[in-house]
Amino acid sequence: MPPRWRGSTGQASLEAVAAVPLILLAALLAWQLVAVVRAGVAAQERVRAAALAASGAAGRTVTASVRVSVPALLPGLDGLAVGARAAVRAQ
């Protein structure tokens, strides 16, 4: 009959419980990164549309700037925004 380890009973369960907050924090950070990337893409789309809408006369260069706020999933990230700028020259 193999000897039993008396000192490690339940250790794996404690390690798993201790890892749960770290896994949740990593998931929140990843989701916040997704929110920043989506806001960046939205800023690019909006600034292109604004620059194209503002371009009128031929030979005129129009510059447009846009800031898009990023939804804060973590505390302390309020006021985070992504900016974009585009220049369009009408021909």
Side-chain angles (χ1 to χ4, degrees):
M1 193 170 193
R4 295 213 166 191
W5 297 94
R6 303 241 183 240
S8 64
T9 323
Q11 181 178 353
S13 298
L14 284 175
E15 289 173 355
V17 168
V20 168
L22 295 175
I23 293 169
L24 289 175
L25 180 62
L28 275 174
L29 287 172
W31 196 247
Q32 184 67 56
L33 181 62
V34 167
V36 169
V37 170
R38 288 186 68 188
V41 170
Q44 287 179 350
E45 291 174 356
R46 289 181 190 176
V47 78
R48 283 186 193 137
L52 288 173
S55 66
R60 182 175 163 219
T61 301
V62 175
T63 303
S65 296
V66 173
R67 289 186 66 82
V68 176
S69 63
V70 178
L73 301 173
L74 297 171
L77 293 179
D78 298 332
L80 188 62
V82 176
R85 184 181 304 173
V88 175
R89 184 174 189 172
Q91 295 184 6

